[in-house]
Amino acid sequence: MRRLWLWALVLGGLLCATATAAELPRSYPHSAVLDGAAAYRLRWGRRGSVLAFRLEVRTRGYVGFGLSASGGMASADIVVGGVERGQPYLQDYFTDENRVLKKDPQQDYHLEYAMENSTHTILAFSRELHTCDTNDKSITESTVRVIWAYHHKDMGEAGQNYHGSNRGTKSLRLLNPEKEEVLFASLPYFDLTNKDVPVPDKDTTYWCQMFKIPVQHEKHHVTKVEPLIQKGHENLVHHILLYQCSSNLNDSVLDYGHECYHPNMPDSFLTCETVIFAWAIGGEGFTYPPHVGLSIGTAADPLFVLMEVHYDNPSYTEGLVDNSGLRLIYTPVLRKYDAGVIEAGLWVSLFHNIPPGMPEFVSEGHCTLECLEEALGAERPAGIHVFAVLLHAHLAGRAIRMRHFHNGEEQKLLAYDDEFDFNFQEFQYLKEERTIVPGDNLITECHYSTVDRIRMTWGGLSTRNEMCLSYLLYYPRINLTRCASIPDIMEQLQFIGVKEIYRPVRQVKTWPFIIKSPKQYKNLSFMDAMNKFKWTRSEGVSYNELVLKLPVNVRCSKTDNAEWSIQGMTALPPEIERPYRTEPVICSSSSCLHCSLFLTVLFVVHVTASAIGNIGPFV
């Protein structure tokens, strides 16, 4: 047996043992493979105000890991480590805006142990969520773009060895609450997948396919939903929505797919308004909490469902054929509550628009007090309990917040993502369930940047259009599927100087009207006039201030295309504090970390492959 090196530096007088394979899930409950070759695995877990990391990488050279606002090397917070000739090293670095790597004078990443065998290097280290270092990136509940790299040589062998192609980026949510482990291996499931859908060579396609739930006549609960994305189509399939359709349909609607929102689509598609599940690009499977499930099998549950798949094909690639969809895992062991979904935010329409050249523009979609008062008052006066939220926008989106107000007083944010990544959208599990009661209202607040655009950005279905939506998973299920708003359009027109409009008898492409006066806009559509207006940054700021105060048209929908009586009514947005006042961040300096860090042992082991086997596998 080869020689075993064991080196330990005692920070206190206490010993702690290395994590065994059995202990890993407890110490690092989250994990992700960061590269396509499965050579770089990240494990992590929260310990109070500290986040612990464990890197398992197929190399005997250096390993790099970092946090980046853009997903690139510029202005990144980086740590580099390894084991060289039996000795550990771990250094805290940062890069400037020109991507120059510099040693951080305040070392905030702290090595816990390191191991190396004939093929792999393991590094375990930790860092405070919020340091007092301007070169570090705070770790919050928002999306985090982690960057990674490795090299077959150590840092000291030839200076800063360039990692070449052994690098990449991945968006993660490092502070997502831990999910209770549930074994699904023995549970039944069914798949809802498209069959050889020809994806057109155009920018955006919404494809709809009707399915029949195979579980009938007896109540069951869906406990987990997994995406089944065809290999190689991870960037083609942007999102999947599953709608409940009218129970009066028959099997003749099955086995037939068509483009959604198309003039020739089947009438049966129009009966599908209630969202029962949503998945978006970058997201993984969703597991319902132990006390909640998606009910199937009863008369009140979905029998016919419509699966809407959004294909994003900006390169107009020809000949694509897709077979993606969803897997629903279910159980006959019933849970206490049935889950429901509410779509909240801005109704997708041209009434939602964003001027060009704006580094910051805010749109708000209102789930109004009036809608919640009526629906909750009739169905659930005690309120509903939200346990997860999916925040949704498109390419111009930069940040999204779900603001919650109770009797006019703002509560803690229901959900937020201040580092929104269009390519990574998944349900956020709430740390604590939030109760929504009559008298509450919700605002989906979306922040956009259009600095690289020269024309208006419109609310719409394409990824080049925009959306501002939140999908709330809650229990117990009530008859409320959509709680949204549309801003008033007339004052938008007045802002650019429109005086008169009229609706032609035969509308073709001038929806919803054409302009009569003044002369510079005569016979133009709403879209043409807004694009013709000479937008400056100051005009954009003034326009933003205006639209945030406009009256809104209330959208308040039930299942089966029914509506609550408040639907279509006009309401004033509540008076709220803008911008949102974020909670103060309490940071901990590196020296404070050393003061408060529980007495532990920092140790590094350089072991053979056989010795590593005693600790457990790490790939």
Side-chain angles (χ1 to χ4, degrees):
M1 185 177 182
R2 288 182 176 177
R3 180 181 178 186
L4 176 70
W5 290 272
L6 177 64
W7 174 82
L9 171 64
V10 180
L11 295 176
L14 220 63
L15 280 176
C16 75
T18 182
T20 66
E23 292 170 334
L24 276 178
R26 293 198 297 272
S27 302
Y28 307 97
H30 307 287
S31 70
V33 174
L34 302 190
D35 68 321
Y40 196 123
R41 178 181 288 276
L42 165 68
R43 300 183 189 273
W44 74 94
R46 185 171 181 174
R47 304 172 186 166
S49 65
V50 172
L51 200 62
F53 300 93
R54 175 178 159 116
L55 308 180
E56 304 165 355
V57 187
R58 193 184 302 148
T59 185
R60 287 174 53 82
Y62 76 75
V63 174
F65 176 79
L67 312 175
S68 167
S70 64
M73 278 290 289
S75 304
D77 176 10
I78 295 172
V79 61
V80 178
V83 179
E84 184 176 11
R85 298 185 181 90
Q87 298 298 314
Y89 62 93
L90 188 83
Q91 291 286 344
D92 185 352
Y93 292 90
F94 69 95
T95 57
D96 59 22
E97 58 186 11
N98 296 317
R99 303 185 297 174
V100 176
L101 188 68
K102 301 178 181 180
K103 186 176 177 179
D104 196 328
Q106 180 174 306
Q107 295 286 301
D108 290 305
Y109 288 91
H110 301 281
L111 184 66
E112 295 183 354
Y113 60 86
M115 293 181 277
E116 187 180 80
N117 69 359
S118 60
T119 60
H120 283 72
T121 296
I122 293 181
L123 295 175
F125 54 89
S126 59
R127 204 208 82 175
E128 287 280 339
L129 301 179
H130 310 287
T131 69
C132 300
D133 187 353
T134 56
N135 297 321
D136 289 346
K137 182 172 173 55
S138 284
I139 301 171
T140 70
E141 294 176 22
S142 296
T143 296
V144 177
R145 294 167 176 84
V146 301
I147 56 176
W148 57 269
Y150 63 91
H151 196 277
H152 67 280
K153 292 183 178 180
D154 283 294
M155 281 286 282
E157 292 181 26
Q160 295 178 10
N161 292 300
Y162 181 60
H163 43 63
S165 61
N166 297 323
R167 62 185 173 87
T169 180
K170 188 177 181 69
S171 288
L172 297 170
R173 201 163 271 117
L174 295 177
L175 297 190
N176 231 353
E178 296 177 28
K179 300 189 290 289
E180 185 171 318
E181 283 296 318
V182 180
L183 296 177
F184 294 100
S186 60
L187 292 180
Y189 65 86
F190 57 90
D191 295 343
L192 307 176
T193 54
N194 283 325
K195 298 293 186 288
D196 296 328
V197 171
V199 180
D201 55 338
K202 62 179 183 178
D203 179 64
T204 297
T205 300
Y206 281 76
W207 186 263
C208 285
Q209 173 76 50
M210 194 79 74
F211 296 91
K212 190 175 184 178
I213 299 294
V215 181
Q216 303 166 37
H217 311 304
E218 187 177 350
K219 186 178 178 75
H220 292 72
H221 270 138
V222 173
T223 57
K224 184 175 184 179
V225 183
E226 296 177 337
L228 300 175
I229 308 303
Q230 182 175 321
K231 189 172 183 179
H233 287 188
E234 291 80 6
N235 292 321
L236 175 67
V237 181
H238 180 261
H239 73 244
I240 302 175
L241 294 180
L242 197 62
Y243 295 89
Q244 179 174 345
C245 305
S246 171
S247 56
N248 296 322
L249 299 175
N250 57 53
D251 291 359
S252 65
V253 302
L254 301 175
D255 303 320
Y256 182 74
H258 198 283
E259 281 197 49
C260 320
Y261 314 109
H262 190 279
N264 297 327
M265 73 178 186
D267 291 341
S268 59
F269 288 9
L270 299 174
T271 72
C272 311
E273 285 285 325
T274 303
V275 175
I276 58 174
F277 189 74
W279 172 89
I281 189 169
E284 298 181 354
F286 180 83
T287 302
Y288 288 85
H291 56 300
V292 186
L294 174 64
S295 181
I296 55 175
T298 76
D301 296 331
L303 176 59
F304 293 95
V305 295
L306 183 77
M307 186 173 73
E308 172 191 296
V309 180
H310 175 188
Y311 294 113
D312 184 33
N313 186 14
S315 60
Y316 298 83
T317 303
E318 298 179 357
L320 294 173
V321 177
D322 184 65
N323 293 276
S324 299
L326 299 171
R327 171 166 292 172
L328 282 72
I329 301 168
Y330 63 96
T331 176
V333 180
L334 299 183
R335 297 179 168 196
K336 188 173 182 179
Y337 298 106
D338 294 343
V341 180
I342 296 174
E343 181 183 278
L346 264 171
W347 182 271
V348 180
S349 74
L350 299 179
F351 291 30
H352 175 211
N353 47 74
I354 307 164
M358 298 299 297
E360 169 88 352
F361 190 92
V362 180
S363 298
E364 292 177 350
H366 296 267
C367 178
T368 63
L369 180 149
E370 292 84 356
C371 178
L372 290 175
E373 189 85 55
E374 181 177 11
L376 290 174
E379 298 256 326
R380 181 75 180 180
I384 57 174
H385 307 284
V386 179
F387 58 87
V389 178
L390 186 149
L391 304 171
H392 183 62
H394 285 173
L395 285 167
R398 295 295 180 269
I400 311 177
R401 300 184 182 123
M402 170 60 92
R403 301 175 69 172
H404 175 206
F405 298 82
H406 176 65
N407 292 330
E409 183 175 336
E410 182 152 21
Q411 310 298 297
K412 186 178 179 180
L413 286 175
L414 187 61
Y416 72 93
D417 191 345
D418 290 336
E419 302 285 345
F420 176 77
D421 182 352
F422 166 78
N423 292 307
F424 178 69
Q425 303 184 48
E426 66 174 3
F427 274 106
Q428 299 181 30
Y429 296 89
L430 303 190
K431 287 182 182 176
E432 298 177 351
E433 294 177 354
R434 185 75 63 87
T435 303
I436 309 297
V437 298
D440 288 6
N441 63 285
L442 305 170
I443 299 176
T444 304
E445 176 188 282
C446 297
H447 295 246
Y448 303 99
S449 173
T450 59
V451 288
D452 57 346
R453 302 187 181 190
I454 60 174
R455 296 175 68 81
M456 294 290 291
T457 297
W458 300 95
L461 301 176
S462 167
T463 52
R464 261 54 65 184
N465 297 140
E466 267 311 326
M467 293 186 179
C468 182
L469 296 171
S470 300
Y471 292 93
L472 282 65
L473 277 173
Y474 72 93
Y475 70 88
R477 181 178 62 186
I478 63 172
N479 196 2
L480 176 64
T481 63
R482 183 174 286 113
C483 185
S485 67
I486 303 174
D488 180 76
I489 197 172
M490 296 313 299
E491 290 193 48
Q492 297 181 44
L493 288 167
Q494 292 170 10
F495 181 86
I496 65 170
V498 172
K499 296 179 179 178
E500 291 182 278
I501 62 172
Y502 71 96
R503 300 177 185 274
V505 177
R506 296 182 180 178
Q507 294 187 37
V508 183
K509 295 183 179 180
T510 55
W511 181 92
F513 46 75
I514 60 174
I515 296 169
K516 189 174 181 180
S517 69
K519 187 176 180 180
Q520 72 261 33
Y521 298 135
K522 188 173 181 179
N523 294 327
L524 294 183
S525 69
F526 172 50
M527 296 177 69
D528 290 338
M530 293 291 275
N531 276 319
K532 186 174 181 180
F533 183 74
K534 290 179 169 49
W535 291 100
T536 63
R537 191 162 293 182
S538 61
E539 292 279 11
V541 170
S542 298
Y543 182 66
N544 202 172
E545 293 172 352
L546 169 73
V547 296
L548 292 177
K549 298 175 184 177
L550 293 179
V552 298
N553 184 280
V554 177
R555 318 307 292 175
C556 195
S557 306
K558 301 180 180 181
T559 57
D560 286 337
N561 287 325
E563 300 168 347
W564 290 96
S565 65
I566 195 69
Q567 172 96 352
M569 303 291 283
T570 298
L572 289 173
E575 291 187 8
I576 63 173
E577 185 174 359
R578 295 191 183 95
Y580 172 79
R581 183 180 296 177
T582 57
E583 296 181 11
V585 170
I586 301 174
C587 63
S588 300
S589 68
S590 181
S591 57
C592 290
L593 177 66
H594 287 297
C595 296
S596 63
L597 194 62
F598 40 82
L599 297 177
T600 185
V601 170
L602 175 65
F603 62 93
V604 179
V605 189
H606 179 61
V607 291
T608 65
S610 59
I612 287 258
N614 296 328
I615 298 173
F618 52 85
V619 292

